[in-house]
Amino acid sequence: MNIQWFPGHMAKTRRLLAENLKMIDVVIELLDARIPRSSKNPEIDEIIKDKPRVMAFNKSDLADDKVSKDWQKHYKSIGYSCIFIDSIKGTGINELKAMVNDAVKDKIDRQKQKGYVFRPVRTMVVGVPNVGKSSFINKIAGKASAVTGDRPGVTRGKQWIRINEKIELLDTPGILWPKFDDMEVGSNLAFTGAIKDDIYDIAEVAATLMERLKNTYADKLAARYKLEGIDDMSGLDLLTAAGKKRGCLVSGGEIDLYRIAAIVLDEFRGGKIGRISLERPDDILTVKADKGAKEMEVKEDFENGNQDEN
């Protein structure tokens, strides 16, 4: 399952980020707590370079709390300021404001020493589509400042928002990158709704998700859809069985796979299956090891004279 999505307005957003960065003091990089690796746009690092940054993992209420704590330890160990937040309940928002101010404390102190009155801290929030940026902005601002929606691509233009007398925030549209080299990244973004459902086969995506959940959260999956003996079931088997349990039938008694697929994806995204994390810090080491082994294999083939003559 190879999922790719990079509509034209995202190229414009990439240029917008680069053009406005010079007026920004701190970047708030908003990520999905369920998929910390897949929701991290690799182009953001290149765009913002050494600009102070705070990583905020949104939708923490939907993620496995134990796994989230492991992620927090991982990122702190490599020098990133990060916090897990819930933009609906407001969990972590005040701490995030403090982290933003702390990120520019040295700059403010230098300005004061020179006799300047420092203006409000200017921040920019960036992230993939449907990561909850608008809900985050409304919560941090304490009012409905941004258009919200449960589908990717709601925010189309930049907008400045006054958070308080100390912080101003530049909202930007969600942005992906032109090509997902790892097919699992595309799948994870599809599972969580960062990619529009109408560009892929939702039955295939839902079946893939159910197989992933069988391997990681089997008890929660079985309980939600009242399934038994799922160990040897494929993703399609699981989707079909869930459709039967939910009465998703068409004429002739066949299972309506697209109807049950829409239900499964909606319930996963809404946390109804349970608090689930699709990625763990150890996965990064596994990916690097697999990549290194592949590169070594290619190198050995070349040195042994098995290279492609073309």
Side-chain angles (χ1 to χ4, degrees):
M1 186 171 62
N2 189 6
I3 298 172
Q4 304 288 337
W5 186 50
F6 190 72
H9 73 272
M10 289 190 183
K12 180 180 178 181
T13 298
R14 187 165 50 184
R15 293 193 297 271
L16 182 148
L17 295 181
E19 291 168 1
N20 286 279
L21 193 64
K22 58 182 177 293
M23 69 179 75
I24 300 299
D25 301 307
V26 185
V27 173
I28 300 174
E29 186 177 11
L30 205 61
L31 302 109
D32 190 318
R34 297 166 296 179
I35 51 168
R37 182 176 70 92
S38 294
S39 62
K40 185 169 176 49
N41 187 336
E43 292 193 342
I44 294 298
D45 291 344
E46 177 61 28
I47 293 171
I48 70 174
K49 294 183 169 53
D50 296 328
K51 185 74 68 173
R53 164 178 24 188
V54 174
M55 296 172 63
F57 295 89
N58 200 19
K59 304 188 180 183
S60 63
D61 58 313
L62 302 178
D64 185 323
D65 187 54
K66 181 181 181 301
V67 177
S68 293
K69 289 177 180 177
D70 290 340
W71 275 111
Q72 196 163 28
K73 290 178 183 177
H74 166 74
Y75 278 112
K76 284 187 175 181
S77 72
I78 57 177
Y80 281 104
S81 297
C82 67
I83 187 169
F84 281 73
I85 65 172
D86 175 356
S87 292
I88 304 301
K89 295 180 181 178
T91 305
I93 296 298
N94 288 335
E95 291 89 340
L96 175 61
K97 291 179 183 178
M99 291 173 72
V100 167
N101 285 320
D102 188 59
V104 292
K105 184 178 182 301
D106 291 343
K107 183 176 181 179
I108 292 174
D109 290 343
R110 288 195 300 270
Q111 294 283 15
K112 287 181 178 179
Q113 289 175 3
K114 294 178 180 179
Y116 298 135
V117 177
F118 196 81
R119 53 170 172 70
V121 176
R122 289 176 179 166
T123 66
M124 174 192 287
V125 60
V126 298
V128 300
N130 210 34
V131 75
K133 284 198 293 91
S134 296
S135 296
F136 163 72
I137 290 167
N138 290 338
K139 181 59 69 173
I140 197 172
K143 56 183 181 296
S145 305
V147 178
T148 61
D150 60 357
R151 63 192 188 280
V154 172
T155 306
R156 285 304 183 95
K158 70 175 183 179
Q159 51 181 332
W160 278 100
I161 295 141
R162 185 74 172 239
I163 303 303
N164 53 39
E165 70 279 1
K166 294 183 178 180
I167 302 175
E168 293 178 347
L169 187 146
L170 177 63
D171 183 21
T172 59
I175 179 174
L176 294 172
W177 52 106
K179 188 176 186 301
F180 308 138
D181 294 326
D182 185 343
M183 287 189 292
E184 190 171 291
V185 168
S187 297
N188 288 339
L189 292 170
F191 297 153
T192 55
I195 298 175
K196 286 186 176 180
D197 289 341
D198 56 8
I199 74 156
Y200 52 75
D201 186 317
I202 65 168
E204 183 180 4
V205 168
T208 303
L209 172 61
M210 294 189 85
E211 187 151 3
R212 289 271 298 279
L213 296 181
K214 180 194 75 173
N215 296 329
T216 52
Y217 295 94
D219 291 345
K220 292 181 179 180
L221 179 66
R224 181 65 189 176
Y225 298 103
K226 298 179 172 58
L227 304 176
E228 297 178 357
I230 69 174
D231 290 349
D232 296 323
M233 297 173 70
S234 68
L236 182 57
D237 292 337
L238 292 164
L239 188 63
T240 301
K244 185 176 181 180
K245 289 287 187 180
R246 291 292 182 90
C248 298
L249 307 174
V250 295
S251 58
E254 293 293 321
I255 304 299
D256 187 340
L257 290 178
Y258 290 97
R259 182 180 167 197
I260 186 59
I263 290 172
V264 168
L265 290 174
D266 182 67
E267 292 187 348
F268 167 73
R269 293 166 185 170
K272 293 180 181 178
I273 299 175
R275 297 183 63 166
I276 291 169
S277 294
L278 294 176
E279 295 177 329
R280 291 166 167 74
D282 289 346
D283 295 339
I284 295 177
L285 299 177
T286 301
V287 169
K288 288 181 178 179
D290 289 345
K291 183 179 179 182
K294 183 64 177 176
E295 290 174 347
M296 182 62 70
E297 181 182 333
V298 171
K299 181 180 179 182
E300 289 176 351
D301 283 347
F302 186 87
E303 291 175 346
N304 292 332
N306 296 329
Q307 65 269 32
D308 188 343
E309 293 183 358
N310 293 324

